[in-house]
Amino acid sequence: MAIFDDVRDVVVEQLNVNPEAVKMESKIIEDLGADSLDVVELIMALEEKFDVEIPDSDAEKLISIEDVVKYIEKLDS
């Protein structure tokens, strides 16, 4: 779950939400209150944190925290 912890830390910092609010099933926009600019900044922060590049076409599919974690795990393998 180390990737989840890192993702949660980035989400908490970028969206200024309570860490307890960030769960695997949390939806970035609906549950965590992100707007489109927040999402762009979040993706950029995740790219920097994990040293990866997330194409816009993939970023659009990252709806929940679980989507983000699975995506990064896939890139990591």
Side-chain angles (χ1 to χ4, degrees):
M1 276 309 224
I3 290 180
F4 169 76
D5 293 336
D6 289 341
V7 168
R8 182 186 58 212
D9 292 346
V10 172
V11 169
V12 166
E13 184 178 322
Q14 288 295 312
L15 301 181
N16 201 19
V17 294
N18 193 319
E20 287 83 44
V22 183
K23 298 177 175 54
M24 285 293 275
E25 63 272 11
S26 298
K27 290 186 172 37
I28 296 167
I29 294 173
E30 290 88 345
D31 297 332
L32 301 177
D35 61 23
S36 56
L37 180 59
D38 292 331
V39 172
V40 169
E41 291 175 343
L42 178 60
I43 295 297
M44 290 170 47
L46 289 166
E47 287 176 329
E48 187 175 322
K49 173 73 176 177
F50 293 100
D51 195 27
V52 297
E53 189 163 322
I54 303 172
D56 290 345
S57 58
D58 289 347
E60 293 169 5
K61 299 173 190 156
L62 303 177
I63 306 298
S64 69
I65 299 301
E66 183 176 16
D67 295 337
V68 174
V69 171
K70 286 182 176 178
Y71 183 83
I72 291 170
E73 285 174 345
K74 191 170 67 175
L75 289 179
D76 245 11
S77 57

